[in-house]
Amino acid sequence: TDDAESAEQTDGKNVEKKDDDDKEDKAAQSLLNKLIRNNLVGNTNQVEVLQRDPNSPLYSVKSFEELRLKPELLQGVYAMGFNRPSKIQENALPMMLAEPPQNLIAQSQSGTGKTAAFVLAMLSRVDPANRYPQCLCLSPTYELALQTGKVIEQMGQFSNIKLAYAVRGKKLERGHKIPEHIVIGTPGTVLDWCSKLRFIDPKKIKVFVLDEADVMIATQGHQDQSIRIQKMLPRDCQMLLFSATFEESVWRFAQKVVPEPNIIKLKREEETLDTIKQYYVMCNNRDDKFRALCNIYGSITIAQAMIFCHTRKTASWLAGELYKEGHQVAMLSGEMMVEQRAAVIDRFREGKEKVLVTTNVCARGIDVEQVSVVINFDLPVDKDGNPDNETYLHRIGRTGRFGKRGLAINMVDSKHNMEILQRIQQHFSKKIEHLDADDIDEIE
Ligand code: ADP
């Protein structure tokens, strides 16, 4: 049905058919985030560090120079435009570069500098003179592996370090020995290359990275494959695991693949409704909602707005109507490729379009900071029709320090809707005020 908006396959035809929507959704989300992100995300929380040996001194660095990197690597870091380590890198980098090598499990939301950190660790441990794989990095999908690969290429541009991709569909001759220093790939292929095909000698691996552990474990088989790879590695191989979230299942997996770990966590900045003015508008039906929306547009100056619909059908209809009214509209929908979505979001962020119409699924996890008005054309509900408080918060909430004031308008067109709205209101203990769409003077 048109409600069932499934994220598209991120792995093209390579995706295992058994993979559930959840995995595809997570991997697509993660890729989308990478494609639209060009900066570190801000976070005012404290980094929590749990050292395996609590007696060893805790190092943190405020500059890349303090890390005593090889000059060509430092050059690579600066060429990427990094001036100083990110919050998580301040603690993670000294740990990852320490001698003897230490294991690490690190969790922080996407955009906080994890990838850059482990790429730096891998590059600094490679000896370019040795023409065999010394670092192994596991990614959940080919597309995600490619993104990490780009970072390796960029940061390693002044080092003579070569990279190979171990992904399905890549055919190598029997008996081939991989000469590249770093291999990045998906667990199934890497496992084959290390075991039955013997393209890689796992005993020579010095650094093992498991990226996006939370996305990884959502795929059938990835957990087992990762553990089987890990078991082939030498005892003194450095093991590093990264995850954006840390639910119990990720944690259990992390403990299995990373023995004697140091642990670093950076909590996500909490979103809040405190700086948001919330309203609801009573309507009779969909057309009425659209008229109300036009009234609102006619009455207040809206720099940029995001409008959320429940179904793809409603979203396209609404985008069409808004377009007819002369609005510059962009639309995100589930049948679009991740790259297409990223392009739409980019244009919107640049202000080329003023209205972004989207369905729930597509917009999950996207931060478009400059949006001052969020309109719930349909209220967020879960698949059982209950209020989806988390999505509501994420759509309209702002993080403490970075959040500007915002405006949220909810369209209600039935008794049932009104009940949902009331439950959302109760949940957050924040009043959602009534707004008369024919008399908008009330706001601002
Ligand atoms: P994560 O892996 O946690 O999602 P990334 O390492 O991809 O985070 O970093 C997010 C963005 O911030 C990327 O665009 C990256 O180039 C940039 N970045 C990473 N570290 C730094 C830094 N120390 N200074 C400036 N930008 C950085």
Side-chain angles (χ1 to χ4, degrees), residues 34 37-41 64 77 80-89 108-118 151 154-155 211-212:
K34 282 185 201 285
R37 178 145 292 141
N38 41 24
N39 243 318
L40 285 167
V41 301
F64 286 109
V77 168
M80 295 189 76
F82 300 177
N83 296 319
R84 73 185 89 78
S86 71
K87 207 156 186 172
I88 190 132
Q89 289 164 359
S108 63
Q109 77 194 84
S110 89
T112 45
K114 298 186 294 299
T115 306
F118 71 70
V151 181
Q154 246 191 314
M155 205 178 272
D211 193 19
E212 312 231 23

Side-chain angles (χ1 to χ4, degrees), residues 336-355:
M336 292 164 80
M337 302 290 287
V338 173
E339 288 78 5
Q340 290 176 305
R341 290 192 220 173
V344 169
I345 295 168
D346 264 349
R347 286 177 54 85
F348 182 67
R349 290 211 303 192
E350 288 165 17
K352 292 201 175 102
E353 274 101 17
K354 307 286 182 229
V355 191

Side-chain angles (χ1 to χ4, degrees), residues 386-399:
N386 291 314
D388 184 348
N389 295 315
E390 201 186 320
T391 300
Y392 185 85
L393 177 64
H394 188 66
R395 275 186 195 176
I396 73 172
R398 299 296 146 98
T399 56

Side-chain angles (χ1 to χ4, degrees), residues 342-393:
V344 169
I345 295 168
D346 264 349
R347 286 177 54 85
F348 182 67
R349 290 211 303 192
E350 288 165 17
K352 292 201 175 102
E353 274 101 17
K354 307 286 182 229
V355 191
L356 181 63
V357 179
T358 173
T359 54
N360 301 342
V361 171
C362 285
R364 206 181 295 153
I366 300 174
D367 307 304
V368 189
E369 303 84 2
Q370 81 268 31
V371 174
S372 53
V373 180
V374 173
I375 294 165
N376 285 322
F377 197 79
D378 298 306
L379 295 174
V381 289
D382 63 19
K383 57 182 187 309
D384 304 318
N386 291 314
D388 184 348
N389 295 315
E390 201 186 320
T391 300
Y392 185 85
L393 177 64

Side-chain angles (χ1 to χ4, degrees), residues 168-180:
R168 208 156 307 163
K170 183 117 168 198
K171 294 274 174 285
L172 296 171
E173 259 172 61
R174 280 184 61 169
H176 180 77
K177 296 284 175 228
I178 291 178
E180 283 89 356

